[in-house]
Amino acid sequence: MSNEPEVIVRPAARIVLIDEHDRFLLFRFDMGASDDRPGRSVWITPGGGIDPGESVEDAARRELWEETGLRAELGPRIWTRTHRFTWDGRFLEQRETFFLVRTAAMEIATTNWTAEERTALASHRWWTVPELLANPDGVYFAPRRLPELAASLLREVPTAPMDVGV
């Protein structure tokens, strides 16, 4: 018998939401709700798991609406990412697909948040690329290279999804 935990593959859809001022919306995800890094937080893009029978596009639209209140057309698939972590006693391999969405500057509506989102999403803010690159507080981003990826994305949108690493 192996002592390795069972790995559960979890497909997920994420949205890189950029407003008219080239600011990126990120949520501060409280890892205290996670098993592997209690007390740590990471800034993430909107998005989440794909429900059974749901397409990645439908999941992206649903997550965007749930987490921001915005209903919008999805732009292109721009990034992919796979990472492993523990959550609620389970060892997950999350396989993410990121879509680009442009929007007017807006206030985020949290009225559609699930109970889990209300627990894990501590706050949100719109970040400029200089703020992301400066990272004065040494915060963590997911993907880890998000500041440089964001800067690159404003210069050129990938023509095919690129793997952005962890």
Side-chain angles (χ1 to χ4, degrees):
M1 283 195 131
S2 171
N3 289 335
E4 293 293 315
E6 175 189 1
V7 176
I8 300 167
V9 174
R10 181 180 191 245
R14 304 210 75 80
I15 299 92
V16 177
L17 188 62
I18 307 172
D19 76 5
E20 64 199 27
H21 305 292
D22 289 339
R23 298 180 305 170
F24 291 73
L25 178 69
L26 299 177
F27 291 101
R28 187 170 61 88
F29 178 76
D30 180 6
M31 295 297 286
S34 170
D35 299 333
D36 59 354
R37 292 188 177 95
R40 180 176 154 192
S41 61
V42 60
W43 287 89
I44 63 173
T45 62
I50 299 172
D51 291 337
E54 188 176 42
S55 72
V56 66
E57 292 86 2
D58 287 343
R61 285 185 204 95
R62 175 184 51 76
E63 288 287 344
L64 181 62
W65 176 77
E66 281 179 4
E67 294 183 1
T68 69
L70 178 64
R71 293 202 187 270
E73 288 299 313
L74 298 178
R77 293 181 192 207
I78 55 171
W79 303 334
T80 60
R81 178 175 98 112
T82 300
H83 67 107
R84 290 181 168 198
F85 60 100
T86 55
W87 180 263
D88 198 23
R90 299 172 296 155
F91 191 63
L92 303 177
E93 178 177 288
Q94 185 155 291
R95 298 177 182 171
E96 300 173 337
T97 300
F98 291 78
F99 292 88
L100 175 63
V101 174
R102 285 286 202 160
T103 186
M106 60 178 282
E107 289 294 320
I108 300 306
T110 61
T111 54
N112 302 317
W113 283 16
T114 65
E116 186 175 71
E117 288 163 341
R118 291 186 190 287
T119 300
L121 299 179
S123 62
H124 67 274
R125 75 174 264 207
W126 292 92
W127 296 72
T128 65
V129 167
E131 289 169 336
L132 289 168
L133 291 168
N135 191 5
D137 298 323
V139 300
Y140 295 96
F141 296 106
R144 288 185 185 146
R145 298 184 315 127
L146 184 63
E148 70 184 71
L149 292 166
S152 176
L153 186 59
L154 291 181
R155 290 189 303 272
E156 182 179 4
V157 175
T159 57
M162 58 186 256
D163 181 348
V164 295
V166 177

